[in-house]
Amino acid sequence: MTTLRLLDAAGAVTDAELRDGGGYSRPSSPLQSRVAYAAAHVVPKLHADNTPGQPADIDWDSTLAFRRNVYSWGLGVADAMDTAQRNMGLDAAATRELIARSSEVAREEGGSVVVGVNTDHVAETHVSLDQVIDAYKEQLHFTEEQGAGPVLMASRHLARVAESADDYRRVYREVLSSATVPVVLHWLGTAFDPELAGYFGADDWQTASAVLLDIIGEQPDKVAGVKMSLLNAESEISVREQLPQGVRMFTGDDFNYVGLIGGDTVGQGDGHSDALLGAFAAITPVASAAIQALDAGDPARYLEILGPTEELSRQVFAAPTFYYKTGVAFLAWLNGHQPAFQMVGGLHSARSLPHLSRIVELANASLALEKPELARERWHGMLRLNGVEA
């Protein structure tokens, strides 16, 4: 029996049986029952100065190969978003290059790509509402020029300057009016970014969601969907059931996605959510296999495949949640999608060895290790490097 060495928070070591991979097959035709995007991370050059505060120096071969792999499993790519370390190491120049390069790869692969549109290229901390609008429009039009679908991300600048719900209505009204293609609106909760407290003009989701729905209701033809990342299934279902016809709900809930995507087929609300998830970048083959099961009319198989991954995702996204990118990159390394466990801005040091060990344990249990022997070799080498016998 081949075993995995595990390390707990008290320093004790145990062994678990290394499971075979899931043996999942890539789809032979496009996925039908759900629209699913994996929010992809970036891979830095292993010899770059990947330390806090340094500009991103991207390994473009590995970064873009990861996106090609996502497309091969039938999923779309959500790029230049939080998972790609927006506001946590990915600077404005690298963001623009990532959007341009990723859009080109999508065209080459015949895949669907959406990318984050924000105001984060503006260096000043505090700007006016007019400047927020102009900054959004600048990134929006650049994204449209690249041929990617825009995801209008929550803006820290807007959160700082807005004094009322009407300020949010005004900004979104003007930005949406200038869009030439429908956009996805992104509502990011404070677990992911504490600076976004009170977004849409209120701290409670019920009041804030009414503002969001007002914004959509003014120009429903300009909105392709909403991505909710509040880690609160009740709020997502509530908004989902009130969306205008033709506006999709993309779950960004990395704690509760199994039921939300399954929707009424598994007894969770009317209809279902589509997916735009950082978790799906970590478990792409498993996510694809689960949606293929839904396509085949087999919700029981969907739950059997995807259900065990939710505990893994909860570990990856554990508080402080904004460090989840470390777990995504860690799994990409274990699965052979990047040559080293390195991250822009030194973020690979943001999680402890016991935290990473629990990720290994749960990935093994949920069949999310694509190449189990390679994952074991890399993990054991990391343990030995840190003084743990393996």
Side-chain angles (χ1 to χ4, degrees):
M1 179 180 72
T2 304
T3 60
L4 276 171
R5 178 57 52 95
L6 303 172
L7 177 73
D8 69 17
V13 295
T14 56
D15 291 310
E17 182 179 358
L18 180 68
R19 301 187 65 182
D20 293 332
Y24 302 120
S25 299
R26 289 175 168 82
S28 57
S29 59
L31 301 177
Q32 298 294 326
S33 56
R34 301 293 186 271
V35 176
Y37 291 94
H41 73 303
V42 293
V43 183
K45 294 176 182 174
L46 61 86
H47 58 275
D49 186 3
N50 298 315
T51 53
Q54 296 303 309
D57 191 357
I58 306 297
D59 174 352
W60 291 113
D61 288 342
S62 296
T63 294
L64 299 177
F66 186 86
R67 283 140 182 81
R68 295 183 195 277
N69 179 69
V70 170
Y71 289 133
S72 77
W73 286 97
L75 274 61
V77 169
D79 222 330
M81 298 190 65
D82 301 285
T83 313
Q85 294 182 239
R86 289 290 284 267
N87 295 307
M88 293 187 74
L90 193 73
D91 55 274
T95 297
R96 286 175 68 91
E97 186 171 1
L98 175 61
I99 290 171
R101 286 177 177 263
S102 187
S103 299
E104 183 178 1
V105 167
R107 287 190 292 273
E108 292 171 356
E109 298 295 325
S112 178
V113 63
V114 295
V115 304
V117 169
N118 210 320
T119 63
D120 52 350
H121 62 289
V122 177
E124 294 84 1
T125 302
H126 291 83
V127 297
S128 68
L129 284 177
D130 286 336
Q131 288 172 301
V132 171
I133 292 167
D134 289 343
Y136 261 141
K137 288 181 177 180
E138 181 180 342
Q139 289 199 21
L140 172 64
H141 297 322
F142 175 77
T143 294
E144 291 171 334
E145 289 168 2
Q146 305 311 308
V151 179
L152 207 61
M153 301 175 71
S155 164
R156 289 177 175 178
H157 288 107
L158 179 53
R160 295 185 193 109
V161 72
E163 297 180 352
S164 67
D166 283 341
D167 286 341
Y168 285 93
R169 291 187 178 95
R170 179 196 162 199
V171 169
Y172 279 88
R173 181 184 303 119
E174 295 198 27
V175 175
L176 287 174
S177 294
S178 73
T180 61
V181 296
V183 310
V184 174
L185 303 181
H186 187 189
W187 187 2
L188 190 67
T190 53
F192 291 93
D193 189 346
E195 292 193 44
L196 298 177
Y199 210 79
F200 293 120
D203 288 319
D204 66 285
W205 69 261
Q206 293 89 344
T207 304
S209 65
V211 177
L212 171 64
L213 289 164
D214 285 347
I215 290 168
I216 298 169
E218 284 188 19
Q219 302 180 79
D221 59 317
K222 293 283 191 174
V223 181
V226 178
K227 168 177 159 58
M228 286 185 62
S229 302
L230 302 189
L231 304 182
N232 180 324
E234 179 188 2
S235 65
E236 180 173 318
I237 292 171
S238 174
V239 173
R240 184 176 79 195
E241 294 177 346
Q242 299 177 72
L243 290 175
Q245 185 72 26
V247 178
R248 295 179 179 273
M249 172 59 74
F250 292 97
T251 187
D253 189 335
D254 300 277
F255 282 7
N256 304 294
Y257 56 82
V258 175
L260 291 166
I261 296 169
D264 48 18
T265 65
V266 298
Q268 187 154 347
D270 294 330
H272 65 267
S273 296
D274 292 296
L276 202 166
L277 289 162
F280 275 16
I283 60 164
T284 299
V286 189
S288 174
I291 296 174
Q292 289 178 60
L294 287 180
D295 287 353
D298 192 346
R301 178 60 175 157
Y302 163 82
L303 289 173
E304 179 185 2
I305 294 171
L306 200 61
T309 69
E310 207 162 71
E311 188 177 2
L312 168 62
S313 184
R314 284 174 175 261
Q315 175 67 12
V316 171
F317 286 79
T321 300
F322 43 80
Y323 287 138
Y324 77 87
K325 296 94 166 169
T326 303
V328 172
F330 177 63
L331 283 166
W333 172 63
L334 290 182
N335 285 326
H337 296 298
Q338 60 188 75
F341 180 35
Q342 289 275 318
M343 297 180 68
V344 169
L347 207 60
H348 47 281
S349 65
R351 295 295 201 183
S352 68
L353 270 181
H355 176 92
L356 297 177
S357 178
R358 181 64 174 157
I359 287 178
V360 171
E361 181 180 7
L362 294 172
N364 180 54
S366 60
L367 306 183
L369 296 179
E370 299 172 34
K371 301 174 182 177
E373 291 289 351
L374 174 65
R376 178 182 183 273
E377 176 187 348
R378 289 186 165 188
W379 170 237
H380 284 192
M382 185 174 178
L383 286 175
R384 289 192 292 271
L385 183 65
N386 284 277
V388 179
E389 291 188 9

PDB file of all heavy atoms in Angstrom, residues 235-256:
ATOM      1  N   SER A 235     -28.640  33.879   0.530  1.00  0.00           N
ATOM      2  CA  SER A 235     -28.658  35.131  -0.223  1.00  0.00           C
ATOM      3  C   SER A 235     -28.617  34.873  -1.721  1.00  0.00           C
ATOM      4  O   SER A 235     -29.306  35.536  -2.506  1.00  0.00           O
ATOM      5  CB  SER A 235     -27.476  36.018   0.195  1.00  0.00           C
ATOM      6  OG  SER A 235     -26.233  35.428  -0.148  1.00  0.00           O
ATOM      7  N   GLU A 236     -27.825  33.898  -2.134  1.00  0.00           N
ATOM      8  CA  GLU A 236     -27.726  33.607  -3.564  1.00  0.00           C
ATOM      9  C   GLU A 236     -29.040  33.085  -4.119  1.00  0.00           C
ATOM     10  O   GLU A 236     -29.483  33.509  -5.198  1.00  0.00           O
ATOM     11  CB  GLU A 236     -26.607  32.603  -3.829  1.00  0.00           C
ATOM     12  CG  GLU A 236     -26.446  32.267  -5.298  1.00  0.00           C
ATOM     13  CD  GLU A 236     -25.228  31.411  -5.584  1.00  0.00           C
ATOM     14  OE1 GLU A 236     -24.163  31.674  -5.002  1.00  0.00           O
ATOM     15  OE2 GLU A 236     -25.354  30.476  -6.403  1.00  0.00           O
ATOM     16  N   ILE A 237     -29.686  32.183  -3.412  1.00  0.00           N
ATOM     17  CA  ILE A 237     -30.954  31.639  -3.880  1.00  0.00           C
ATOM     18  C   ILE A 237     -32.002  32.742  -3.954  1.00  0.00           C
ATOM     19  O   ILE A 237     -32.793  32.820  -4.907  1.00  0.00           O
ATOM     20  CB  ILE A 237     -31.419  30.491  -2.963  1.00  0.00           C
ATOM     21  CG1 ILE A 237     -30.474  29.289  -3.103  1.00  0.00           C
ATOM     22  CG2 ILE A 237     -32.851  30.074  -3.305  1.00  0.00           C
ATOM     23  CD1 ILE A 237     -30.719  28.189  -2.094  1.00  0.00           C
ATOM     24  N   SER A 238     -32.015  33.629  -2.952  1.00  0.00           N
ATOM     25  CA  SER A 238     -32.979  34.729  -2.947  1.00  0.00           C
ATOM     26  C   SER A 238     -32.817  35.620  -4.172  1.00  0.00           C
ATOM     27  O   SER A 238     -33.796  35.946  -4.858  1.00  0.00           O
ATOM     28  CB  SER A 238     -32.812  35.565  -1.668  1.00  0.00           C
ATOM     29  OG  SER A 238     -33.644  36.706  -1.696  1.00  0.00           O
ATOM     30  N   VAL A 239     -31.587  36.020  -4.468  1.00  0.00           N
ATOM     31  CA  VAL A 239     -31.352  36.879  -5.631  1.00  0.00           C
ATOM     32  C   VAL A 239     -31.622  36.110  -6.915  1.00  0.00           C
ATOM     33  O   VAL A 239     -32.235  36.641  -7.858  1.00  0.00           O
ATOM     34  CB  VAL A 239     -29.910  37.432  -5.606  1.00  0.00           C
ATOM     35  CG1 VAL A 239     -29.592  38.183  -6.899  1.00  0.00           C
ATOM     36  CG2 VAL A 239     -29.708  38.344  -4.401  1.00  0.00           C
ATOM     37  N   ARG A 240     -31.197  34.867  -6.967  1.00  0.00           N
ATOM     38  CA  ARG A 240     -31.384  34.042  -8.167  1.00  0.00           C
ATOM     39  C   ARG A 240     -32.851  33.971  -8.570  1.00  0.00           C
ATOM     40  O   ARG A 240     -33.203  34.067  -9.760  1.00  0.00           O
ATOM     41  CB  ARG A 240     -30.845  32.639  -7.893  1.00  0.00           C
ATOM     42  CG  ARG A 240     -30.873  31.691  -9.084  1.00  0.00           C
ATOM     43  CD  ARG A 240     -30.219  30.370  -8.715  1.00  0.00           C
ATOM     44  NE  ARG A 240     -31.093  29.512  -7.940  1.00  0.00           N
ATOM     45  CZ  ARG A 240     -30.684  28.442  -7.251  1.00  0.00           C
ATOM     46  NH1 ARG A 240     -29.396  28.129  -7.227  1.00  0.00           N
ATOM     47  NH2 ARG A 240     -31.536  27.688  -6.601  1.00  0.00           N
ATOM     48  N   GLU A 241     -33.726  33.826  -7.582  1.00  0.00           N
ATOM     49  CA  GLU A 241     -35.154  33.677  -7.868  1.00  0.00           C
ATOM     50  C   GLU A 241     -35.808  34.987  -8.290  1.00  0.00           C
ATOM     51  O   GLU A 241     -36.954  34.976  -8.750  1.00  0.00           O
ATOM     52  CB  GLU A 241     -35.852  33.072  -6.662  1.00  0.00           C
ATOM     53  CG  GLU A 241     -35.403  31.628  -6.396  1.00  0.00           C
ATOM     54  CD  GLU A 241     -36.036  31.012  -5.157  1.00  0.00           C
ATOM     55  OE1 GLU A 241     -36.614  31.776  -4.347  1.00  0.00           O
ATOM     56  OE2 GLU A 241     -35.942  29.781  -4.995  1.00  0.00           O
ATOM     57  N   GLN A 242     -35.073  36.118  -8.156  1.00  0.00           N
ATOM     58  CA  GLN A 242     -35.633  37.415  -8.540  1.00  0.00           C
ATOM     59  C   GLN A 242     -34.999  38.006  -9.798  1.00  0.00           C
ATOM     60  O   GLN A 242     -35.374  39.107 -10.212  1.00  0.00           O
ATOM     61  CB  GLN A 242     -35.459  38.418  -7.385  1.00  0.00           C
ATOM     62  CG  GLN A 242     -36.167  38.028  -6.098  1.00  0.00           C
ATOM     63  CD  GLN A 242     -35.894  39.029  -4.991  1.00  0.00           C
ATOM     64  OE1 GLN A 242     -36.395  40.154  -5.013  1.00  0.00           O
ATOM     65  NE2 GLN A 242     -35.095  38.623  -4.019  1.00  0.00           N
ATOM     66  N   LEU A 243     -34.064  37.290 -10.392  1.00  0.00           N
ATOM     67  CA  LEU A 243     -33.389  37.830 -11.574  1.00  0.00           C
ATOM     68  C   LEU A 243     -34.325  37.885 -12.772  1.00  0.00           C
ATOM     69  O   LEU A 243     -35.166  36.997 -12.961  1.00  0.00           O
ATOM     70  CB  LEU A 243     -32.163  36.975 -11.923  1.00  0.00           C
ATOM     71  CG  LEU A 243     -30.970  37.058 -10.971  1.00  0.00           C
ATOM     72  CD1 LEU A 243     -29.895  36.058 -11.388  1.00  0.00           C
ATOM     73  CD2 LEU A 243     -30.400  38.471 -10.926  1.00  0.00           C
ATOM     74  N   PRO A 244     -34.170  38.894 -13.616  1.00  0.00           N
ATOM     75  CA  PRO A 244     -34.974  38.953 -14.842  1.00  0.00           C
ATOM     76  C   PRO A 244     -34.673  37.757 -15.743  1.00  0.00           C
ATOM     77  O   PRO A 244     -33.590  37.156 -15.686  1.00  0.00           O
ATOM     78  CB  PRO A 244     -34.525  40.261 -15.500  1.00  0.00           C
ATOM     79  CG  PRO A 244     -33.900  41.067 -14.417  1.00  0.00           C
ATOM     80  CD  PRO A 244     -33.302  40.086 -13.463  1.00  0.00           C
ATOM     81  N   GLN A 245     -35.634  37.425 -16.589  1.00  0.00           N
ATOM     82  CA  GLN A 245     -35.450  36.343 -17.549  1.00  0.00           C
ATOM     83  C   GLN A 245     -34.195  36.594 -18.379  1.00  0.00           C
ATOM     84  O   GLN A 245     -33.979  37.701 -18.881  1.00  0.00           O
ATOM     85  CB  GLN A 245     -36.670  36.253 -18.464  1.00  0.00           C
ATOM     86  CG  GLN A 245     -36.654  35.085 -19.427  1.00  0.00           C
ATOM     87  CD  GLN A 245     -36.894  33.754 -18.728  1.00  0.00           C
ATOM     88  OE1 GLN A 245     -37.516  33.723 -17.669  1.00  0.00           O
ATOM     89  NE2 GLN A 245     -36.410  32.674 -19.307  1.00  0.00           N
ATOM     90  N   GLY A 246     -33.366  35.566 -18.497  1.00  0.00           N
ATOM     91  CA  GLY A 246     -32.174  35.667 -19.324  1.00  0.00           C
ATOM     92  C   GLY A 246     -30.924  36.096 -18.592  1.00  0.00           C
ATOM     93  O   GLY A 246     -29.824  36.051 -19.158  1.00  0.00           O
ATOM     94  N   VAL A 247     -31.035  36.525 -17.329  1.00  0.00           N
ATOM     95  CA  VAL A 247     -29.870  36.901 -16.528  1.00  0.00           C
ATOM     96  C   VAL A 247     -29.493  35.710 -15.649  1.00  0.00           C
ATOM     97  O   VAL A 247     -30.292  35.244 -14.835  1.00  0.00           O
ATOM     98  CB  VAL A 247     -30.156  38.140 -15.661  1.00  0.00           C
ATOM     99  CG1 VAL A 247     -28.929  38.473 -14.798  1.00  0.00           C
ATOM    100  CG2 VAL A 247     -30.534  39.329 -16.539  1.00  0.00           C
ATOM    101  N   ARG A 248     -28.291  35.207 -15.817  1.00  0.00           N
ATOM    102  CA  ARG A 248     -27.847  34.012 -15.105  1.00  0.00           C
ATOM    103  C   ARG A 248     -27.300  34.346 -13.715  1.00  0.00           C
ATOM    104  O   ARG A 248     -26.742  35.420 -13.507  1.00  0.00           O
ATOM    105  CB  ARG A 248     -26.740  33.290 -15.886  1.00  0.00           C
ATOM    106  CG  ARG A 248     -27.171  32.707 -17.225  1.00  0.00           C
ATOM    107  CD  ARG A 248     -25.992  32.028 -17.916  1.00  0.00           C
ATOM    108  NE  ARG A 248     -26.344  31.441 -19.192  1.00  0.00           N
ATOM    109  CZ  ARG A 248     -26.831  30.215 -19.349  1.00  0.00           C
ATOM    110  NH1 ARG A 248     -26.984  29.431 -18.283  1.00  0.00           N
ATOM    111  NH2 ARG A 248     -27.130  29.754 -20.552  1.00  0.00           N
ATOM    112  N   MET A 249     -27.438  33.392 -12.811  1.00  0.00           N
ATOM    113  CA  MET A 249     -26.733  33.455 -11.545  1.00  0.00           C
ATOM    114  C   MET A 249     -25.513  32.544 -11.633  1.00  0.00           C
ATOM    115  O   MET A 249     -25.632  31.343 -11.878  1.00  0.00           O
ATOM    116  CB  MET A 249     -27.618  32.988 -10.389  1.00  0.00           C
ATOM    117  CG  MET A 249     -26.870  32.849  -9.052  1.00  0.00           C
ATOM    118  SD  MET A 249     -26.095  34.384  -8.485  1.00  0.00           S
ATOM    119  CE  MET A 249     -27.539  35.308  -7.940  1.00  0.00           C
ATOM    120  N   PHE A 250     -24.319  33.136 -11.480  1.00  0.00           N
ATOM    121  CA  PHE A 250     -23.077  32.377 -11.421  1.00  0.00           C
ATOM    122  C   PHE A 250     -22.647  32.281  -9.970  1.00  0.00           C
ATOM    123  O   PHE A 250     -22.288  33.294  -9.364  1.00  0.00           O
ATOM    124  CB  PHE A 250     -21.985  33.060 -12.244  1.00  0.00           C
ATOM    125  CG  PHE A 250     -22.216  33.048 -13.725  1.00  0.00           C
ATOM    126  CD1 PHE A 250     -22.788  34.132 -14.369  1.00  0.00           C
ATOM    127  CD2 PHE A 250     -21.857  31.941 -14.482  1.00  0.00           C
ATOM    128  CE1 PHE A 250     -23.001  34.127 -15.730  1.00  0.00           C
ATOM    129  CE2 PHE A 250     -22.073  31.924 -15.862  1.00  0.00           C
ATOM    130  CZ  PHE A 250     -22.647  33.014 -16.476  1.00  0.00           C
ATOM    131  N   THR A 251     -22.693  31.091  -9.416  1.00  0.00           N
ATOM    132  CA  THR A 251     -22.271  30.980  -8.030  1.00  0.00           C
ATOM    133  C   THR A 251     -20.769  31.213  -7.903  1.00  0.00           C
ATOM    134  O   THR A 251     -19.967  30.694  -8.680  1.00  0.00           O
ATOM    135  CB  THR A 251     -22.637  29.617  -7.412  1.00  0.00           C
ATOM    136  OG1 THR A 251     -22.332  29.662  -6.008  1.00  0.00           O
ATOM    137  CG2 THR A 251     -21.888  28.456  -8.053  1.00  0.00           C
ATOM    138  N   GLY A 252     -20.437  32.040  -6.918  1.00  0.00           N
ATOM    139  CA  GLY A 252     -19.054  32.207  -6.517  1.00  0.00           C
ATOM    140  C   GLY A 252     -18.870  31.723  -5.096  1.00  0.00           C
ATOM    141  O   GLY A 252     -17.915  32.098  -4.414  1.00  0.00           O
ATOM    142  N   ASP A 253     -19.811  30.872  -4.638  1.00  0.00           N
ATOM    143  CA  ASP A 253     -19.834  30.388  -3.261  1.00  0.00           C
ATOM    144  C   ASP A 253     -19.030  29.101  -3.168  1.00  0.00           C
ATOM    145  O   ASP A 253     -19.541  28.005  -3.436  1.00  0.00           O
ATOM    146  CB  ASP A 253     -21.274  30.168  -2.815  1.00  0.00           C
ATOM    147  CG  ASP A 253     -21.398  29.869  -1.331  1.00  0.00           C
ATOM    148  OD1 ASP A 253     -20.407  29.373  -0.743  1.00  0.00           O
ATOM    149  OD2 ASP A 253     -22.472  30.124  -0.760  1.00  0.00           O
ATOM    150  N   ASP A 254     -17.785  29.231  -2.765  1.00  0.00           N
ATOM    151  CA  ASP A 254     -16.883  28.081  -2.713  1.00  0.00           C
ATOM    152  C   ASP A 254     -17.134  27.189  -1.505  1.00  0.00           C
ATOM    153  O   ASP A 254     -16.455  26.177  -1.331  1.00  0.00           O
ATOM    154  CB  ASP A 254     -15.430  28.570  -2.721  1.00  0.00           C
ATOM    155  CG  ASP A 254     -15.098  29.373  -3.960  1.00  0.00           C
ATOM    156  OD1 ASP A 254     -14.790  28.761  -4.988  1.00  0.00           O
ATOM    157  OD2 ASP A 254     -15.178  30.617  -3.900  1.00  0.00           O
ATOM    158  N   PHE A 255     -18.121  27.560  -0.672  1.00  0.00           N
ATOM    159  CA  PHE A 255     -18.509  26.720   0.466  1.00  0.00           C
ATOM    160  C   PHE A 255     -19.731  25.853   0.148  1.00  0.00           C
ATOM    161  O   PHE A 255     -19.907  24.796   0.753  1.00  0.00           O
ATOM    162  CB  PHE A 255     -18.843  27.584   1.684  1.00  0.00           C
ATOM    163  CG  PHE A 255     -17.656  28.118   2.440  1.00  0.00           C
ATOM    164  CD1 PHE A 255     -16.360  27.965   1.970  1.00  0.00           C
ATOM    165  CD2 PHE A 255     -17.842  28.778   3.641  1.00  0.00           C
ATOM    166  CE1 PHE A 255     -15.276  28.465   2.663  1.00  0.00           C
ATOM    167  CE2 PHE A 255     -16.762  29.282   4.352  1.00  0.00           C
ATOM    168  CZ  PHE A 255     -15.483  29.121   3.866  1.00  0.00           C
ATOM    169  N   ASN A 256     -20.594  26.314  -0.748  1.00  0.00           N
ATOM    170  CA  ASN A 256     -21.913  25.691  -0.919  1.00  0.00           C
ATOM    171  C   ASN A 256     -22.263  25.413  -2.377  1.00  0.00           C
ATOM    172  O   ASN A 256     -23.429  25.313  -2.719  1.00  0.00           O
ATOM    173  CB  ASN A 256     -22.987  26.615  -0.318  1.00  0.00           C
ATOM    174  CG  ASN A 256     -22.729  26.944   1.140  1.00  0.00           C
ATOM    175  OD1 ASN A 256     -22.775  26.071   2.001  1.00  0.00           O
ATOM    176  ND2 ASN A 256     -22.448  28.212   1.417  1.00  0.00           N
TER     177      ASN A 256
END
